[in-house]
Amino acid sequence: MEPLAQRLRPRTLDEVCGQQHLLGKNQVFRRTVESGKIPNMIFYGPSGVGKTTVASIIAAGSGMQLHKLNGTTASTSDIKSVLADIGTLGASGGILLYLDEIQYFNKRQQQSLLECVEQGTVTLIASTTENPYFYVYNALLSRCTVFEFKSLTTDDIRTGLRSAAARLGAEDKSPVLIPDDALEYLAQSAGGDMRKALGNLEFAVTAAPVENGCRTITLDMVQQVAVRTAMRYDKLGDDHYDIVSAYQKSMRGSDPDAALHYLGRLLEAGDLPSACRRLMVCACEDVGLAWPQIIPIVKAAVDIANAVGLPEARLPLADAVVLVATAPKSNSAHDGINAAIADIQAGRTGPIPRQLQNKHYDGADAKVKGQHYLYPHDYPNHWTAQQYLPDAIKDRQYYVPGDNKNEQAFAQYWKKIKGEL
């Protein structure tokens, strides 16, 4: 039997749930599609949010001959078969190629579409769950307009489920009743994926007995179908980078609640390495010299987490994440090393000062004989003035003390030693 998601696929743009930033009445995308002049487009977004549905609706109203290919299975010969229809009677209104999962097409396959797309003999609508700017060949990307489809909200899913239940009941002539608690659980457990939500609904409806001419979907039934809240996660995909980015930015922003939330998402996905790596990076980059003692503390927590494994690893990591999030912050060392590397990459280096070189003799051409290194421990307070940077950048300052108590105390100490106070 055809899946419910396919049977109940919206037939007009007004029936599509969500994506109002594209499909709203006054949006440029909507007006362009309704004009009948379909440009080359790439739809980018997670699965189950309406990319294929919108493409199908556009194709149905375009008057063009539709060809559908999937990047996971299509070959170069499949592309040639599509192009062979150019100029035929059946394609007198033009050819619309819907290419799903274009990221799986290699460079040569994508290049094979260039000429026809540029000439307008084929209109391309491609979709991808990955960032097209990383996965789509630049020459093809420059000939298309990218539209981002966003994850559906719980409200969007709830609306779609109500509509699907009503249509399903009408088809089978046995109304489908879904109490609010069951509907809410189905909507939330889908993780923004309408296809998943409809699949779970179909499973529950199939299992529901007909009583008094109706089928009632209970909370217990949907909890058995959708055991746990769905979460989008692909260690090689955009979702991974979005979560780890939010994880570190929440710690940097001193929000322990958000940091724990994103830690939880990483651990629920089983991605212990990313949780540990970003935690250590954040301790060094964002707390840093404001409280340098945190670095070995975080390292110890990570060691414990890796030693005990999941699910117990959540405990030392939660301790460390809250500690990093609530610790004073400083990125002075981070900014300092970045500035130093920028100078090096730009060629601003120069010879190492003679007194710092690892040699104790001078060539015949040396203008100043002798190393002349001043050993700081031979001087009061273990310091004496001496040039350390190369001549070309001798006055460069990379490190600027942060305004936290720890770094300011060190800064005041050295100003006193150097007679700057």
Side-chain angles (χ1 to χ4, degrees):
M1 180 187 294
E2 190 177 35
L4 182 64
Q6 184 63 31
R7 291 182 2 238
L8 301 185
R9 190 181 294 279
R11 291 155 295 189
T12 68
L13 295 179
D14 289 328
E15 292 180 359
V16 178
C17 294
Q19 313 308 334
Q20 290 305 297
H21 64 294
L22 299 176
L23 306 179
K25 292 292 185 183
N26 295 316
Q27 298 301 325
V28 171
F29 178 89
R30 174 78 177 249
R31 295 205 305 267
T32 300
V33 168
E34 291 179 340
S35 74
K37 297 178 181 178
I38 310 302
N40 298 303
M41 297 181 284
I42 295 177
F43 295 167
Y44 159 48
S47 59
V49 298
K51 300 188 299 296
T52 302
T53 295
V54 172
S56 298
I57 294 170
I58 292 172
S62 69
M64 292 186 278
Q65 185 182 62
L66 175 64
H67 287 270
K68 292 183 179 180
L69 295 178
N70 190 294
T72 59
T73 57
S75 64
T76 303
S77 62
D78 293 320
I79 299 173
K80 290 179 179 178
S81 178
V82 173
L83 302 185
D85 279 352
I86 295 174
T88 63
L89 184 61
S92 58
I95 292 176
L96 177 62
L97 171 60
Y98 177 62
L99 178 54
D100 197 13
E101 305 289 1
I102 190 176
Q103 73 270 19
Y104 291 109
F105 260 26
N106 60 39
K107 184 176 180 181
R108 178 172 293 182
Q109 288 174 310
Q110 292 186 35
Q111 284 177 321
S112 67
L113 297 170
L114 275 177
E115 184 177 353
C116 60
V117 167
E118 189 164 34
Q119 292 177 351
T121 52
V122 170
T123 298
L124 174 67
I125 298 181
S127 68
T128 175
T129 55
E130 305 294 347
N131 192 326
Y133 296 99
F134 296 155
Y135 289 92
V136 178
Y137 180 49
N138 281 338
L140 184 60
L141 187 63
S142 68
R143 291 163 173 80
C144 301
T145 303
V146 177
F147 292 98
E148 182 177 3
F149 281 61
K150 298 179 180 179
S151 224
L152 298 179
T153 66
T154 301
D155 286 341
D156 294 331
I157 300 289
R158 194 185 298 113
T159 300
L161 287 170
R162 283 199 187 100
S163 174
R167 289 175 61 183
L168 192 60
E171 279 184 4
D172 298 342
K173 298 181 180 179
S174 55
V176 176
L177 306 179
I178 309 181
D180 289 342
D181 56 353
L183 180 65
E184 189 66 21
Y185 191 92
L186 271 176
Q188 291 189 2
S189 68
D193 186 332
M194 184 66 79
R195 189 182 298 114
K196 176 181 283 294
L198 292 175
N200 289 339
L201 173 65
E202 183 176 30
F203 207 107
V205 168
T206 302
V210 177
E211 297 177 348
N212 300 320
C214 299
R215 281 174 291 179
T216 301
I217 310 301
T218 65
L219 177 61
D220 179 64
M221 291 169 62
V222 298
Q223 285 177 333
Q224 292 180 51
V225 173
V227 177
R228 57 188 294 175
T229 299
M231 183 181 70
R232 300 181 186 280
Y233 196 79
D234 177 355
K235 289 185 181 180
L236 299 178
D238 290 342
D239 294 322
H240 161 76
Y241 295 107
D242 286 344
I243 292 174
V244 294
S245 176
Y247 174 52
Q248 183 167 352
K249 287 173 181 173
S250 297
M251 287 187 283
R252 178 185 298 146
S254 303
D255 188 330
D257 299 311
L260 286 172
H261 172 78
Y262 294 115
L263 171 65
R265 288 173 70 162
L266 287 169
L267 298 183
E268 280 296 287
D271 195 355
L272 182 60
S274 292
C276 292
R277 178 179 178 275
R278 284 297 181 114
L279 176 59
M280 291 188 290
V281 168
C282 195
C284 297
E285 177 182 343
D286 299 307
V287 178
L289 299 178
W291 184 27
Q293 296 92 331
I294 199 173
I295 297 173
I297 294 173
V298 167
K299 179 58 168 61
V302 167
D303 288 344
I304 293 170
N306 283 306
V308 301
L310 289 170
E312 289 82 1
R314 73 190 188 284
L315 302 174
L317 293 184
D319 290 338
V321 162
V322 171
L323 202 61
V324 170
T326 55
K329 303 296 190 294
S330 172
N331 68 340
S332 56
H334 163 272
D335 288 350
I337 186 60
N338 284 355
I341 289 174
D343 269 357
I344 294 165
Q345 292 175 340
R348 292 186 287 269
T349 54
I352 293 173
R354 174 69 183 87
Q355 65 270 20
L356 302 184
Q357 293 175 7
N358 187 31
K359 63 181 181 180
H360 304 281
Y361 64 93
D362 297 290
D365 60 343
K367 294 180 180 179
V368 179
K369 303 294 183 181
Q371 185 160 5
H372 303 290
Y373 172 62
L374 304 178
Y375 188 58
H377 296 296
D378 288 341
Y379 296 85
N381 299 309
H382 307 272
W383 179 86
T384 186
Q386 185 170 210
Q387 180 181 329
Y388 291 94
L389 280 170
D391 289 340
I393 53 173
K394 65 180 181 179
D395 296 322
R396 204 75 166 174
Q397 181 180 5
Y398 297 120
Y399 170 64
V400 177
D403 57 3
N404 57 83
K405 180 180 179 180
N406 192 58
E407 288 181 85
Q408 285 300 311
F410 283 146
Q412 292 300 308
Y413 170 81
W414 284 109
K415 284 181 180 180
K416 181 178 179 182
I417 296 300
K418 296 177 181 180
E420 297 172 1
L421 289 178

